[in-house]
Amino acid sequence: MSDLGSNRLFVAGLMLVLIHSNGGRDACLADPLSSVPKPTNEVNSAADIGMTNLIKFIQNDKERAASIGFYSADEVTIDKMKRGSGIPVLRIVDESLLNKPDFKNMSEYLEPLVDQFIYPITVDGKARAVINVKNLKKAKKWKAVSYGAPGLVSALEELKLLEADGVFIARYSPLGIWLACTDLEDKSQCHQITANPKALDYKNKYKIWPNR
């Protein structure tokens, strides 16, 4: 896969999260984004509950800690883990963006309604995994739905984006393209991340991460 306008290509283990889009700029029914979305208190609370559930899950099945991205179950405690800020995952709805020499003025190419945030988890300042929080439309609430993606969070760490302002993930599902980006307008910078669609979801234990 080509390095679409980026100087570096990262291979990352990503969560198997299905996102449906009809594609095309007409998919944007709302006004274009004016700034990178930030999680509300409700979304942050869902992430906190997700971290509590992750601890309980690993306590009941300690061998799963490594498959999610931790070195051992000993790392999965409230004292050792630190949750980072929520990073929005935005859908690319206009494929023509991918043909541009650089990614500038991205807001017009992105679905403005965000329904997914990922929260990095670090241990002693080192990236381990993410909590994936989604807006469940039927349940009408935000909920942590999966954990893992050590490759993704490691890529963000290497790019020094874990704590940077204006960070977001732009995803184009038909081609499996994930971009780690900062800013929406002229100063936008993106790095392509190639997905490995294997994940460990606490509801589907047969899906496991490859070795770190």
Side-chain angles (χ1 to χ4, degrees):
M1 187 178 296
S2 62
D3 192 3
L4 303 170
S6 167
N7 294 325
R8 303 156 86 177
L9 179 66
F10 291 89
V11 177
L14 299 173
M15 291 162 294
L16 186 61
V17 180
L18 301 179
I19 299 179
H20 301 286
S21 173
N22 293 326
R25 196 169 298 180
D26 291 341
C28 282
L29 300 179
D31 292 334
L33 290 167
S34 59
S35 61
V36 176
K38 294 184 178 181
T40 63
N41 290 337
E42 180 185 2
V43 185
N44 289 334
S45 295
D48 290 335
I49 293 172
M51 193 157 76
T52 299
N53 290 338
L54 172 61
I55 294 171
K56 293 178 180 178
F57 170 62
I58 295 302
Q59 287 176 343
N60 292 328
D61 193 351
K62 294 185 177 181
E63 293 182 358
R64 293 293 181 181
S67 61
I68 291 177
F70 296 94
Y71 290 156
S72 71
D74 293 337
E75 292 187 332
V76 189
T77 68
I78 194 65
D79 294 328
K80 292 187 177 182
M81 293 192 304
K82 179 181 178 182
R83 173 180 71 70
S85 301
I87 298 172
V89 178
L90 304 175
R91 288 173 263 188
I92 298 172
V93 294
D94 189 341
E95 187 177 347
S96 67
L97 170 68
L98 304 177
N99 297 322
K100 294 182 176 295
D102 51 31
F103 301 132
K104 305 296 183 185
N105 301 312
M106 292 186 63
S107 58
E108 61 183 296
Y109 301 95
L110 301 172
E111 166 62 59
L113 302 177
V114 60
D115 64 357
Q116 182 180 5
F117 285 86
I118 58 172
Y119 286 78
I121 301 173
T122 58
V123 175
D124 295 329
K126 300 297 183 181
R128 289 293 186 266
V130 302
I131 302 172
N132 180 36
V133 177
K134 294 197 71 179
N135 186 7
L136 304 180
K137 293 182 179 179
K138 290 185 178 180
K140 296 182 178 179
K141 67 177 182 179
W142 290 85
K143 184 177 181 180
V145 296
S146 58
Y147 310 97
L152 170 59
V153 75
S154 295
L156 292 173
E157 180 180 50
E158 185 172 343
L159 290 166
K160 302 185 185 304
L161 295 180
L162 281 183
E163 300 297 332
D165 293 331
V167 177
F168 64 95
I169 301 293
R171 181 177 181 181
Y172 187 64
S173 298
L175 297 180
I177 292 174
W178 291 61
L179 305 172
C181 304
T182 56
D183 199 70
L184 288 169
E185 306 305 332
D186 289 339
K187 295 181 180 179
S188 179
Q189 293 184 352
C190 292
H191 302 266
Q192 184 179 345
I193 299 173
T194 300
N196 182 338
K198 288 187 177 181
L200 178 118
D201 183 297
Y202 66 95
K203 292 183 179 179
N204 299 291
K205 294 185 180 180
Y206 59 87
K207 297 175 183 175
I208 60 173
W209 291 107
N211 294 330
R212 290 175 64 94

